[in-house]
Amino acid sequence: MFKQFLLVAAIASLTLATSSRAHCEYALERSGSTGSRSASLHSDATQPTEVLLDDVVAWLSSNFDLPAIKERPAIEFASRMELARLRARDLASSQGFIGNDGQLAQREVVALYDNHTRTILLPDDWGGTSPTDQSVLVHEMVHHLQNLGELKFDCLQAREKTAYLAQAKWLERFGLSLEKEFDVDMFTVLISSACMY
């Protein structure tokens, strides 16, 4: 089941970008209060090291047409249930988007990126040492660099193509693939990132 999560994470990133409010602030009230977060840091979660983040940015900028921006995203952790709840809330607030890809919305969320708060939300069991875990970070870092670089796209879905290509290339470095690790094939990636009006 874990292998089918990744597409929804990317689409969640798109949904977050279309929203007029910053949605991934856990239990922070919509009124803008800065109370404590309801999602607690799971003991298995590991913050990515500065070295890993710097390596990912350098690798992305040298292998893809992305700016080498050194500003790091905030990185937080949430349970898979919390990620799914945030994803569902975002889909509900973006009804036109649901109709574009309702089938993908049924899949479980792996990670999210919030353009407004510049925050990557990783699952609370993310360890960061496996190439598979790192590839999830790579995918979300693509969105972070796209956001900070103010890159423009024909449609919101188009930004997913680079994120998936980067994730696939990262996995290939270790003899792995998107299809084996996440049950995501490149044909699906190309179709889901196409601007079909």
Side-chain angles (χ1 to χ4, degrees), residues 150-162:
E150 299 180 2
L151 302 182
K152 305 297 180 204
F153 299 91
D154 291 337
C155 64
L156 289 174
Q157 301 94 297
R159 44 184 244 153
E160 291 305 320
K161 182 178 178 182
T162 302

Side-chain angles (χ1 to χ4, degrees), residues 32-124:
S33 78
T34 56
S36 64
R37 294 183 180 104
S38 66
S40 62
L41 180 65
H42 190 275
S43 61
D44 292 341
T46 304
Q47 276 287 337
T49 65
E50 291 182 15
V51 171
L52 176 60
L53 291 170
D54 289 344
D55 287 348
V56 168
V57 169
W59 183 82
L60 286 170
S61 65
S62 67
N63 286 280
F64 297 90
D65 192 19
L66 292 167
I69 298 172
K70 298 294 183 190
E71 183 181 331
R72 291 187 181 94
I75 297 182
E76 298 179 0
F77 299 89
S79 69
R80 294 189 188 275
M81 181 180 291
E82 179 71 1
L83 290 170
R85 186 188 68 75
L86 290 168
R87 170 73 173 128
R89 183 178 70 192
D90 293 333
L91 284 173
S93 69
S94 183
Q95 294 175 9
F97 190 74
I98 293 172
N100 292 340
D101 219 336
Q103 196 171 30
L104 291 175
Q106 302 299 320
R107 295 186 177 181
E108 192 168 344
V109 180
V110 174
L112 299 170
Y113 179 74
D114 185 331
N115 282 328
H116 301 291
T117 64
R118 298 176 176 178
T119 301
I120 292 174
L121 294 171
L122 295 170
D124 59 9

Side-chain angles (χ1 to χ4, degrees), residues 25 27-36:
E25 297 192 59
L28 299 183
E29 296 300 322
R30 288 180 188 256
S31 65
S33 78
T34 56
S36 64

